[in-house]
Amino acid sequence: MNNNDSVNPSNTQKTAAKRILTGIKPTGTLHLGNYVGAIRPAIESIQNSDDEAFFFLADYHGIIGCSDPAVIHESTKSIAATWLACGLDPERVTFYRQSDVPEIPELAWILNCSCSKGLMNRAHAYKASVDINIDNGVDADQGVTMGLFGYPVLMAADILMFNATHVPVGRDQIQHIEMARDIAGTFNHKYKPLFTMPNAAVDDDTPLLTGLDGRKMSKSYGNTIPLFGEFNPQANPEKQMHKAIMKIVTNSQLPAEPKDPNDSAVFEIYKAFATPEEIAAMRAQFSAGIGWGDAKQALFEKINSEIAPFRARYQELMANPKELEEILQMGADKARRHSRKQLDKTRRAIGIRPLAKLK
Ligand code: TRP
């Protein structure tokens, strides 16, 4: 990960070590875009550094937009299994479930009490919901919950709890990190300088994966290639991936006609998995008129060579939720060693502490 792209260069950290923290909402299964854009770079960046890392499943954020208990439950399992199968080392990284760290929602409440409502009024996600309502001629707040409205405060608590210095996120989350800084600044000024200013770490080198229809790969467009297949344990995940790749939209050029790689989702996706030499070779094959079927088959083989080794571990973990739960509990223990202390300091700073020592 290229951390030179931190959005807030004004931050002055005294310590050299970075503390990286990022969360992912368990509200579905992951696709290749998530793998290329978030999972792979996060795991690689940890492998090659001494940075401290906190990765977690933001299930209390998940319930804001998803009220299907089965989806929350199944996808917590699937996303935890995905990260671990893709190489996340739970000894090296503090890997936990947000809801297993009760100090986080407690801190969120405290932060709520010094965060101005006006700051939340400016949040893009909340404003987008209000705008849709206004366009539809219904009450501006229809369907807007306090959870959605306060989303950035809970996210600030996630980050400030661990004094994270770097928060790898997509561009859509930058505003939330700025709000976390704002919230930290207000608290630090009003009470005591307890919270470190976090920086959004946005990596411009990370590819935005193209989807089956040529638009950005996104769950909301329904154009994704599943990473390990859907929840259905009967479905063969390798076949599901092959089937999705064969559905990538192409033009109607015939085999042998030279094709423009720069105008092809097949080539775009290939680039995210291949070495520079392989990319050059594929470019030459496009000029030489490779047929779409063959190009897709080559793409499948390329992706599969990277993903197949993770698949067995994924399935093993999915079949063994006890192992997953143990890993998450170990992560929660590690996380709470920090969060208990940080919450205690915060409570003392606001005047909430025992009246006397008993015993
Ligand atoms: N809001 C993030 C997203 O939708 C998920 C998230 C929750 C998060 N808490 C976080 C990301 C803390 C980084 C840090 O992608």
Side-chain angles (χ1 to χ4, degrees), residues 233-299:
Q234 312 308 331
N236 175 325
E238 189 173 301
K239 278 197 188 135
Q240 280 186 57
M241 180 182 275
H242 188 262
K243 213 167 122 190
I245 289 171
M246 291 299 151
K247 278 195 215 147
I248 298 172
V249 172
T250 62
N251 62 24
S252 49
Q253 282 182 302
L254 299 173
E257 278 186 73
K259 298 180 177 66
D260 179 6
N262 300 325
D263 184 30
S264 161
V266 177
F267 189 74
E268 270 310 307
I269 303 172
Y270 189 83
K271 281 201 297 195
F273 289 88
T275 63
E277 295 74 39
E278 289 166 336
I279 295 170
M282 183 54 77
R283 200 176 271 288
Q285 289 204 57
F286 267 64
S287 308
I290 186 174
W292 287 123
D294 291 344
K296 288 177 181 179
Q297 185 61 29
L299 173 62

Side-chain angles (χ1 to χ4, degrees), residues 21-25 56 58 61 98 151 154-155 158-159 167-169 172-173 176-177:
L21 175 143
T22 196
I24 180 158
K25 281 185 290 187
F56 69 98
H61 279 105
Q98 185 185 36
Y151 187 113
L154 180 57
M155 187 159 157
D158 290 330
I159 298 167
V167 186
V169 281
D172 63 322
Q173 296 293 315
H176 289 149
I177 312 302

Side-chain angles (χ1 to χ4, degrees), residues 294-353:
D294 291 344
K296 288 177 181 179
Q297 185 61 29
L299 173 62
F300 166 73
E301 279 160 22
K302 188 74 240 154
I303 298 175
N304 202 40
S305 69
E306 185 165 329
I307 302 301
F310 304 147
R311 229 178 246 132
R313 180 68 179 140
Y314 175 77
Q315 279 164 334
E316 189 180 289
L317 287 166
M318 288 300 278
N320 192 358
K322 197 157 168 251
E323 185 179 352
L324 278 174
E325 189 58 35
E326 278 163 5
I327 293 171
L328 290 175
Q329 289 311 318
M330 175 181 86
D333 283 348
K334 284 204 274 177
R336 293 190 75 189
R337 268 175 238 154
H338 296 271
S339 63
R340 284 206 196 91
K341 280 194 208 136
Q342 181 80 330
L343 182 67
D344 188 56
K345 282 191 212 160
T346 313
R347 288 170 53 141
R348 284 172 185 277
I350 61 176
I352 295 182
R353 62 190 156 80

Side-chain angles (χ1 to χ4, degrees), residues 62-79:
I63 61 168
I64 292 169
C66 171
S67 47
D68 185 338
V71 170
I72 297 288
H73 183 81
E74 280 304 309
S75 85
T76 297
K77 182 170 141 189
S78 158
I79 293 178

